[in-house]
PDB file of all heavy atoms in Angstrom:
ATOM      1  N   LYS M 612      -9.230  10.586   0.067  1.00 84.00           N
ATOM      2  CA  LYS M 612     -10.636  10.768  -0.140  1.00 84.00           C
ATOM      3  C   LYS M 612     -11.266   9.615  -0.828  1.00 84.00           C
ATOM      4  O   LYS M 612     -12.369   9.147  -0.486  1.00 84.00           O
ATOM      5  CB  LYS M 612     -10.850  12.063  -1.073  1.00 84.00           C
ATOM      6  CG  LYS M 612     -10.559  13.371  -0.331  1.00 84.00           C
ATOM      7  CD  LYS M 612     -10.885  14.537  -1.324  1.00 84.00           C
ATOM      8  CE  LYS M 612     -10.514  15.813  -0.571  1.00 84.00           C
ATOM      9  NZ  LYS M 612     -10.821  17.028  -1.469  1.00 84.00           N
ATOM     10  N   ALA M 613     -10.531   8.992  -1.825  1.00 86.00           N
ATOM     11  CA  ALA M 613     -11.092   7.794  -2.431  1.00 86.00           C
ATOM     12  C   ALA M 613     -11.243   6.582  -1.461  1.00 86.00           C
ATOM     13  O   ALA M 613     -12.341   5.987  -1.559  1.00 86.00           O
ATOM     14  CB  ALA M 613     -10.093   7.348  -3.615  1.00 86.00           C
ATOM     15  N   ALA M 614     -10.297   6.479  -0.518  1.00 84.00           N
ATOM     16  CA  ALA M 614     -10.448   5.448   0.572  1.00 84.00           C
ATOM     17  C   ALA M 614     -11.704   5.723   1.456  1.00 84.00           C
ATOM     18  O   ALA M 614     -12.385   4.724   1.752  1.00 84.00           O
ATOM     19  CB  ALA M 614      -9.174   5.355   1.410  1.00 84.00           C
ATOM     20  N   ALA M 615     -11.893   7.013   1.846  1.00 85.00           N
ATOM     21  CA  ALA M 615     -13.057   7.341   2.659  1.00 85.00           C
ATOM     22  C   ALA M 615     -14.373   7.098   1.976  1.00 85.00           C
ATOM     23  O   ALA M 615     -15.295   6.490   2.514  1.00 85.00           O
ATOM     24  CB  ALA M 615     -13.001   8.778   3.142  1.00 85.00           C
ATOM     25  N   ILE M 616     -14.422   7.486   0.677  1.00 90.00           N
ATOM     26  CA  ILE M 616     -15.668   7.375   0.012  1.00 90.00           C
ATOM     27  C   ILE M 616     -15.958   5.849  -0.307  1.00 90.00           C
ATOM     28  O   ILE M 616     -17.118   5.329  -0.156  1.00 90.00           O
ATOM     29  CB  ILE M 616     -15.550   8.101  -1.427  1.00 90.00           C
ATOM     30  CG1 ILE M 616     -15.522   9.483  -1.206  1.00 90.00           C
ATOM     31  CG2 ILE M 616     -16.701   7.656  -2.356  1.00 90.00           C
ATOM     32  CD1 ILE M 616     -15.097  10.332  -2.432  1.00 90.00           C
ATOM     33  N   ALA M 617     -14.911   5.080  -0.666  1.00 90.00           N
ATOM     34  CA  ALA M 617     -15.015   3.641  -0.918  1.00 90.00           C
ATOM     35  C   ALA M 617     -15.497   2.922   0.353  1.00 90.00           C
ATOM     36  O   ALA M 617     -16.314   2.053   0.252  1.00 90.00           O
ATOM     37  CB  ALA M 617     -13.687   3.097  -1.468  1.00 90.00           C
ATOM     38  N   ASN M 618     -14.902   3.287   1.480  1.00 87.00           N
ATOM     39  CA  ASN M 618     -15.299   2.678   2.726  1.00 87.00           C
ATOM     40  C   ASN M 618     -16.725   2.947   3.100  1.00 87.00           C
ATOM     41  O   ASN M 618     -17.479   2.077   3.618  1.00 87.00           O
ATOM     42  CB  ASN M 618     -14.378   3.025   3.814  1.00 87.00           C
ATOM     43  CG  ASN M 618     -13.111   2.267   3.926  1.00 87.00           C
ATOM     44  OD1 ASN M 618     -13.095   1.099   4.371  1.00 87.00           O
ATOM     45  ND2 ASN M 618     -11.954   2.779   3.341  1.00 87.00           N
ATOM     46  N   ALA M 619     -17.167   4.230   2.916  1.00 89.00           N
ATOM     47  CA  ALA M 619     -18.497   4.560   3.276  1.00 89.00           C
ATOM     48  C   ALA M 619     -19.510   3.838   2.290  1.00 89.00           C
ATOM     49  O   ALA M 619     -20.500   3.360   2.817  1.00 89.00           O
ATOM     50  CB  ALA M 619     -18.664   6.139   3.061  1.00 89.00           C
ATOM     51  N   ALA M 620     -19.265   3.846   0.987  1.00 92.00           N
ATOM     52  CA  ALA M 620     -20.105   3.077   0.045  1.00 92.00           C
ATOM     53  C   ALA M 620     -20.104   1.585   0.343  1.00 92.00           C
ATOM     54  O   ALA M 620     -21.263   0.943   0.421  1.00 92.00           O
ATOM     55  CB  ALA M 620     -19.630   3.339  -1.265  1.00 92.00           C
ATOM     56  N   ALA M 621     -18.981   1.064   0.783  1.00 91.00           N
ATOM     57  CA  ALA M 621     -18.930  -0.335   1.058  1.00 91.00           C
ATOM     58  C   ALA M 621     -19.859  -0.633   2.334  1.00 91.00           C
ATOM     59  O   ALA M 621     -20.515  -1.684   2.453  1.00 91.00           O
ATOM     60  CB  ALA M 621     -17.511  -0.861   1.278  1.00 91.00           C
ATOM     61  N   GLY M 622     -19.723   0.293   3.329  1.00 88.00           N
ATOM     62  CA  GLY M 622     -20.487   0.065   4.594  1.00 88.00           C
ATOM     63  C   GLY M 622     -21.910   0.043   4.325  1.00 88.00           C
ATOM     64  O   GLY M 622     -22.787  -0.771   4.912  1.00 88.00           O
ATOM     65  N   VAL M 623     -22.478   0.912   3.428  1.00 91.00           N
ATOM     66  CA  VAL M 623     -23.874   0.999   3.101  1.00 91.00           C
ATOM     67  C   VAL M 623     -24.355  -0.269   2.352  1.00 91.00           C
ATOM     68  O   VAL M 623     -25.372  -0.827   2.742  1.00 91.00           O
ATOM     69  CB  VAL M 623     -24.109   2.239   2.189  1.00 91.00           C
ATOM     70  CG1 VAL M 623     -25.567   2.127   1.643  1.00 91.00           C
ATOM     71  CG2 VAL M 623     -24.023   3.501   2.917  1.00 91.00           C
ATOM     72  N   SER M 624     -23.656  -0.696   1.358  1.00 92.00           N
ATOM     73  CA  SER M 624     -24.010  -1.916   0.552  1.00 92.00           C
ATOM     74  C   SER M 624     -23.875  -3.130   1.423  1.00 92.00           C
ATOM     75  O   SER M 624     -24.802  -4.049   1.336  1.00 92.00           O
ATOM     76  CB  SER M 624     -23.123  -2.066  -0.533  1.00 92.00           C
ATOM     77  OG  SER M 624     -21.826  -2.323  -0.247  1.00 92.00           O
ATOM     78  N   ALA M 625     -22.919  -3.283   2.327  1.00 90.00           N
ATOM     79  CA  ALA M 625     -22.842  -4.415   3.177  1.00 90.00           C
ATOM     80  C   ALA M 625     -23.972  -4.431   4.205  1.00 90.00           C
ATOM     81  O   ALA M 625     -24.474  -5.532   4.403  1.00 90.00           O
ATOM     82  CB  ALA M 625     -21.482  -4.344   3.986  1.00 90.00           C
ATOM     83  N   ALA M 626     -24.288  -3.378   4.730  1.00 88.00           N
ATOM     84  CA  ALA M 626     -25.448  -3.345   5.813  1.00 88.00           C
ATOM     85  C   ALA M 626     -26.759  -3.632   5.041  1.00 88.00           C
ATOM     86  O   ALA M 626     -27.552  -4.390   5.581  1.00 88.00           O
ATOM     87  CB  ALA M 626     -25.520  -1.830   6.278  1.00 88.00           C
ATOM     88  N   MET M 627     -26.946  -3.215   3.821  1.00 90.00           N
ATOM     89  CA  MET M 627     -28.269  -3.496   3.170  1.00 90.00           C
ATOM     90  C   MET M 627     -28.308  -4.968   2.844  1.00 90.00           C
ATOM     91  O   MET M 627     -29.420  -5.544   2.976  1.00 90.00           O
ATOM     92  CB  MET M 627     -28.418  -2.599   1.933  1.00 90.00           C
ATOM     93  CG  MET M 627     -28.537  -1.112   2.263  1.00 90.00           C
ATOM     94  SD  MET M 627     -28.637  -0.027   0.777  1.00 90.00           S
ATOM     95  CE  MET M 627     -30.366  -0.487   0.269  1.00 90.00           C
ATOM     96  N   ALA M 628     -27.190  -5.529   2.378  1.00 90.00           N
ATOM     97  CA  ALA M 628     -27.228  -6.919   2.071  1.00 90.00           C
ATOM     98  C   ALA M 628     -27.428  -7.789   3.264  1.00 90.00           C
ATOM     99  O   ALA M 628     -28.275  -8.795   3.210  1.00 90.00           O
ATOM    100  CB  ALA M 628     -25.902  -7.288   1.356  1.00 90.00           C
ATOM    101  N   ALA M 629     -26.777  -7.500   4.339  1.00 89.00           N
ATOM    102  CA  ALA M 629     -26.838  -8.298   5.516  1.00 89.00           C
ATOM    103  C   ALA M 629     -28.198  -8.285   6.268  1.00 89.00           C
ATOM    104  O   ALA M 629     -28.678  -9.216   6.858  1.00 89.00           O
ATOM    105  CB  ALA M 629     -25.762  -7.929   6.506  1.00 89.00           C
ATOM    106  N   GLN M 630     -28.924  -7.089   6.052  1.00 89.00           N
ATOM    107  CA  GLN M 630     -30.191  -6.956   6.698  1.00 89.00           C
ATOM    108  C   GLN M 630     -31.327  -7.923   6.195  1.00 89.00           C
ATOM    109  O   GLN M 630     -32.265  -8.169   6.769  1.00 89.00           O
ATOM    110  CB  GLN M 630     -30.804  -5.532   6.680  1.00 89.00           C
ATOM    111  CG  GLN M 630     -30.055  -4.534   7.642  1.00 89.00           C
ATOM    112  CD  GLN M 630     -30.134  -5.108   8.975  1.00 89.00           C
ATOM    113  OE1 GLN M 630     -31.080  -5.458   9.604  1.00 89.00           O
ATOM    114  NE2 GLN M 630     -28.860  -5.149   9.547  1.00 89.00           N
ATOM    115  N   LEU M 631     -31.047  -8.469   4.976  1.00 89.00           N
ATOM    116  CA  LEU M 631     -32.023  -9.438   4.492  1.00 89.00           C
ATOM    117  C   LEU M 631     -32.110 -10.641   5.366  1.00 89.00           C
ATOM    118  O   LEU M 631     -33.088 -11.331   5.461  1.00 89.00           O
ATOM    119  CB  LEU M 631     -31.535  -9.888   3.096  1.00 89.00           C
ATOM    120  CG  LEU M 631     -31.661  -8.725   1.941  1.00 89.00           C
ATOM    121  CD1 LEU M 631     -30.942  -9.262   0.671  1.00 89.00           C
ATOM    122  CD2 LEU M 631     -33.153  -8.288   1.676  1.00 89.00           C
ATOM    123  N   VAL M 632     -30.915 -10.968   5.945  1.00 89.00           N
ATOM    124  CA  VAL M 632     -30.903 -12.093   6.881  1.00 89.00           C
ATOM    125  C   VAL M 632     -31.058 -11.687   8.340  1.00 89.00           C
ATOM    126  O   VAL M 632     -31.760 -12.296   9.110  1.00 89.00           O
ATOM    127  CB  VAL M 632     -29.617 -12.813   6.768  1.00 89.00           C
ATOM    128  CG1 VAL M 632     -29.460 -13.973   7.814  1.00 89.00           C
ATOM    129  CG2 VAL M 632     -29.441 -13.463   5.395  1.00 89.00           C
ATOM    130  N   TRP M 633     -30.395 -10.523   8.690  1.00 88.00           N
ATOM    131  CA  TRP M 633     -30.286 -10.086  10.002  1.00 88.00           C
ATOM    132  C   TRP M 633     -31.617  -9.580  10.614  1.00 88.00           C
ATOM    133  O   TRP M 633     -31.819  -9.820  11.850  1.00 88.00           O
ATOM    134  CB  TRP M 633     -29.259  -8.960  10.199  1.00 88.00           C
ATOM    135  CG  TRP M 633     -27.999  -9.253  10.850  1.00 88.00           C
ATOM    136  CD1 TRP M 633     -26.997  -8.409  10.808  1.00 88.00           C
ATOM    137  CD2 TRP M 633     -27.569 -10.361  11.634  1.00 88.00           C
ATOM    138  NE1 TRP M 633     -25.858  -8.879  11.543  1.00 88.00           N
ATOM    139  CE2 TRP M 633     -26.295 -10.105  12.076  1.00 88.00           C
ATOM    140  CE3 TRP M 633     -28.224 -11.487  12.044  1.00 88.00           C
ATOM    141  CZ2 TRP M 633     -25.583 -11.016  12.897  1.00 88.00           C
ATOM    142  CZ3 TRP M 633     -27.479 -12.393  12.911  1.00 88.00           C
ATOM    143  CH2 TRP M 633     -26.197 -12.155  13.294  1.00 88.00           C
ATOM    144  N   THR M 634     -32.456  -9.041   9.878  1.00 89.00           N
ATOM    145  CA  THR M 634     -33.750  -8.469  10.419  1.00 89.00           C
ATOM    146  C   THR M 634     -34.562  -9.581  11.060  1.00 89.00           C
ATOM    147  O   THR M 634     -35.008  -9.412  12.205  1.00 89.00           O
ATOM    148  CB  THR M 634     -34.557  -7.685   9.410  1.00 89.00           C
ATOM    149  OG1 THR M 634     -33.768  -6.529   8.884  1.00 89.00           O
ATOM    150  CG2 THR M 634     -35.841  -7.144   9.963  1.00 89.00           C
TER     151      THR M 634
END
Side-chain angles (χ1 to χ4, degrees):
K612 289 181 180 178
I616 293 170
N618 276 281
V623 171
S624 67
M627 293 179 71
Q630 283 311 305
L631 293 172
V632 175
W633 250 167
T634 298

